[in-house]
Amino acid sequence: MSLIHVVPLIFLAAHICWCLQPKINYREKEKQVLDQILGPASYDARIRPSGINGTDGPAVVRVNIFVRSISKIDDVTMEYSVQLTFREQWTDERLKFNDFGGKIKYLTLTESNRVWMPDLFFSNEKEGHFHNIIMPNVYIRIFPHGAVLYSIRISLTLSCPMNLKLYPLDRQICSLRMASYGWTTDDLVFLWKDGDPVQVVKNLHLPRFTLEKFLTDYCNSKTNTGEYSCLKVDLLFKREFSYYLIQIYIPCCMLVIVSWVSFWLDQSAVPARVSLGVTTLLTMATQTSGINASLPPVSYTKAIDVWTGVCLTFVFGALLEFALVNYASRSDMHRDNMQKQRRQCELEHGAQIESDLLEDGGTTFAMKPLVRRPGEPLARDKIRQCEIHMQQPQRPNCCKTWLSKFPTRSKRIDVISRITFPLVFALFNLTYWSTYLFREDSDVVVG
C-alpha cells in the first residue's frame, strides 16, 4: 500500500477516536470550580483581599459608573434623582482558578454575599432602591486571574445644596459621593477606573436643565475613627432659560407696559384708571407669589426677586402717578375757580370806577390821564412794558416751550410719565441683563 493511501486512513482513524471520546461539560466544570474556590475550607468572605501583588497593603477597588437617566432636579427640596449602573473591580487572589485552556472566560454569580464586598455607601443619599424586575439587576463576575467585577443597577435620590442667587440664570453643581463606611484607608482604597470612569447616556434629557459637563475627584475624609477613602463626581447643570423667559419675564413686562396705558387716558376717567392700576397691581402680586411658591424660602435675594420686585414697583408707581394726577387736577380746578372769581371781582370793580367817573362830570374825565393813580390798570400795563424792555433776552428752553403746550399740571404729569417710565424701565433692563448674563458664576455651591 502506498503512502498516498496510508495518510488518509491515519486521519480517519484519529477523527474516529476523537469522536468516540466523551465530551467535556464545561458547565459542570464551572460548578466544580465554584465549589472549589468558594468552599468554606478555602474562602472566607469576611476577610478582605490582599493588597497589590499579594502584599499586606490596602485592597484597591476601582469604580466606574454609567448614568442611565436623571429624572428630576428639585429646587425646593434641593435634591435630584438619578438611575445608574454602578461597577466595582478588585483583585482577590483567593479566587484564582483553572480556565481549561480559555474555555471558561469567567464565572457569574448573582449572590453578592458569597464573596467579599467593599463596604461602599453613598454619603449624600436620601433615598435609594435596587431593581428586581424580572430578576435582581446585579451580577458578579470572577475571572481566572482572580479579578472580580461587581455590577448593579440602582436608583438614588441625592441631596444637592444649591445657591439660588442667580436663579433662573444659574448653574448648579450636584455631586455623587461614594465612600467606605467601615474600612479605613489602611485596609481599603477606592480609585476611579482608568480611561473613562463616568459614562452618560447619549440621549439624556432633562426638562429644565442641561448637563454641561462632569468632573471626577477624590474626597477622602478624616474623622476621629480614622481616614476613609471617598470618590465623587460633580455634575454641572445649566438651567434652561427659555422656560422662564416665556413663563415669567415676558408676562411681567406685559403687565408693566399695560400699567402705562393709564398715562394715555384722560384724567377725568377715574374708574378706568383706578381699575387698570389695581388690576395690574394684583396680577403682578399674584405672579410674584406663584414664583416664590415654587422656590425654597432662602435668606438672600435672588435674581428673580430683583426682577419681580422692580416690576411690582413700576406697577405700583403707575397707580401712585394717577393719585398725583388726580390731586393736581383738583388743584387746577380750584385755581381756575379762584382766577374766575378774581376776574369777576376786577370786572365789577372796574365797572364801579367807570360809573363813579361818569357821575363826576366832563372836567374830571378830561383830567383823568393826568391824575391816574399807580394802582390802576393802565399804569400797571405801562410798568410791565418798561420791565419787559429792561430785561435781557433769554434763550428759549425747549422743555419749557414743549411743556407750555399743556396748560394744566395734571396733563404735564401724564406727559412726563409717558416718557420717564419707559426710559427708566429700559435702563433697568439694560442694567439687569448686563449684570446677570455676563457676570462670572462665582456663587456655585458644590453639593
Side-chain angles (χ1 to χ4, degrees):
M1 184 179 293
S2 64
L3 184 61
I4 299 175
H5 296 88
V6 172
V7 173
L9 291 175
I10 295 174
F11 279 105
L12 180 61
H15 179 70
I16 293 173
C17 293
W18 182 82
C19 292
L20 292 177
Q21 289 181 355
K23 292 184 178 180
I24 300 176
N25 187 348
Y26 288 101
R27 306 289 79 77
E28 183 68 22
K29 293 296 182 180
E30 290 181 1
K31 176 182 179 302
Q32 295 176 5
V33 171
L34 287 173
D35 292 338
Q36 178 185 356
I37 63 176
L38 296 179
S42 59
Y43 187 83
D44 191 346
R46 298 173 298 177
I47 307 302
R48 71 169 179 87
S50 302
I52 299 176
N53 298 325
T55 62
D56 196 31
V60 177
V61 178
R62 299 190 179 274
V63 176
N64 76 303
I65 60 176
F66 174 67
V67 179
R68 292 180 172 272
S69 65
I70 300 176
S71 58
K72 70 171 183 177
I73 301 176
D74 197 333
D75 298 316
V76 178
T77 57
M78 292 192 179
E79 62 186 23
Y80 72 105
S81 299
V82 60
Q83 183 186 127
L84 51 87
T85 298
F86 176 75
R87 305 185 186 98
E88 293 177 311
Q89 290 179 284
W90 67 93
T91 300
D92 193 342
E93 294 185 354
R94 297 172 296 175
L95 299 178
K96 289 183 178 180
F97 62 89
N98 181 16
D99 62 351
F100 296 93
K103 295 297 182 179
I104 301 178
K105 295 181 179 180
Y106 52 81
L107 302 175
T108 302
L109 300 177
T110 56
E111 300 176 357
S112 60
N113 59 352
R114 296 290 301 275
V115 298
W116 175 87
M117 292 291 299
D119 61 342
L120 181 141
F121 77 105
F122 298 93
S123 58
N124 60 333
E125 173 207 353
K126 288 186 174 181
E127 294 179 358
H129 67 272
F130 301 116
H131 293 265
N132 298 318
I133 300 175
I134 299 177
M135 293 291 292
N137 298 167
V138 58
Y139 68 80
I140 297 175
R141 290 177 180 175
I142 304 175
F143 294 87
H145 54 280
V148 181
L149 171 62
Y150 173 72
S151 178
I152 187 171
R153 187 165 72 98
I154 53 179
S155 291
L156 300 171
T157 299
L158 305 165
S159 65
C160 178
M162 300 181 183
N163 191 327
L164 301 174
K165 288 183 178 180
L166 302 180
Y167 177 92
L169 302 167
D170 58 334
R171 288 179 172 85
Q172 301 297 337
I173 295 182
C174 296
S175 296
L176 174 63
R177 295 173 177 264
M178 300 160 284
S180 172
Y181 190 81
W183 297 96
T184 63
T185 53
D186 295 332
D187 297 315
L188 179 62
V189 173
F190 289 110
L191 298 176
W192 285 111
K193 182 181 178 182
D194 297 334
D196 195 7
V198 178
Q199 302 94 37
V200 179
V201 65
K202 293 182 179 180
N203 57 346
L204 180 65
H205 176 71
L206 295 172
R208 289 185 292 177
F209 286 88
T210 300
L211 179 60
E212 287 193 330
K213 61 180 179 180
F214 52 87
L215 302 172
T216 57
D217 200 357
Y218 296 91
C219 54
N220 292 4
S221 61
K222 291 184 179 181
T223 66
N224 55 2
T225 58
E227 182 179 0
Y228 298 90
S229 182
C230 174
L231 302 177
K232 73 172 181 176
V233 53
D234 295 331
L235 305 173
L236 178 58
F237 296 102
K238 179 183 179 182
R239 198 181 299 271
E240 289 290 344
F241 180 67
S242 58
Y243 168 81
Y244 301 93
L245 179 65
I246 297 173
Q247 297 293 328
I248 297 177
Y249 284 91
I250 292 179
C252 289
C253 281
M254 294 174 64
L255 286 174
V256 173
I257 294 173
V258 167
S259 67
W260 299 341
V261 175
S262 64
F263 303 154
W264 299 85
L265 299 178
D266 189 77
Q267 59 265 27
S268 60
V270 176
R273 297 188 69 163
V274 170
S275 301
L276 184 61
V278 172
T279 302
T280 53
L281 183 62
L282 292 177
T283 306
M284 191 66 222
T286 305
Q287 180 86 347
T288 304
S289 300
I291 295 170
N292 292 329
S294 61
L295 294 173
V298 295
S299 59
Y300 48 82
T301 302
K302 304 179 289 293
I304 195 65
D305 295 334
V306 176
W307 175 264
T308 54
V310 173
C311 290
L312 188 63
T313 302
F314 271 93
V315 175
F316 183 68
L319 185 61
L320 291 182
E321 188 271 348
F322 169 67
L324 182 61
V325 167
N326 187 266
Y327 173 79
S329 177
R330 288 185 285 109
S331 178
D332 291 337
M333 292 176 61
H334 179 72
R335 185 182 61 183
D336 292 341
N337 292 333
M338 293 298 294
Q339 290 178 354
K340 288 180 181 179
Q341 293 179 2
R342 189 179 300 108
R343 286 196 297 268
Q344 184 68 24
C345 292
E346 289 178 356
L347 291 174
E348 292 177 355
H349 182 66
Q352 182 66 31
I353 293 174
E354 289 180 0
S355 62
D356 292 341
L357 293 174
L358 291 173
E359 290 177 358
D360 290 342
T363 306
T364 307
F365 180 77
M367 295 297 292
K368 181 170 63 175
L370 299 178
V371 297
R372 186 177 296 276
R373 294 183 294 272
E376 292 182 357
L378 184 57
R380 288 199 302 269
D381 292 341
K382 295 292 185 181
I383 294 172
R384 189 178 297 111
Q385 291 177 6
C386 294
E387 291 178 352
I388 292 174
H389 288 292
M390 292 174 63
Q391 291 177 356
Q392 296 181 356
Q394 297 180 353
R395 295 182 179 180
N397 192 326
C398 298
C399 293
K400 292 183 178 180
T401 304
W402 178 67
L403 289 175
S404 63
K405 299 178 180 179
F406 308 100
T408 60
R409 288 184 298 172
S410 58
K411 191 65 175 178
R412 291 177 183 175
I413 295 173
D414 272 339
V415 171
I416 294 174
S417 299
R418 294 173 191 174
I419 300 173
T420 304
F421 273 72
L423 286 179
V424 176
F425 190 68
L427 181 61
F428 161 71
N429 273 269
L430 180 62
T431 305
Y432 181 87
W433 297 115
S434 61
T435 300
Y436 288 104
L437 284 180
F438 301 108
R439 66 177 290 182
E440 294 183 1
D441 196 357
S442 58
D443 297 326
V444 175
V445 171
V446 178

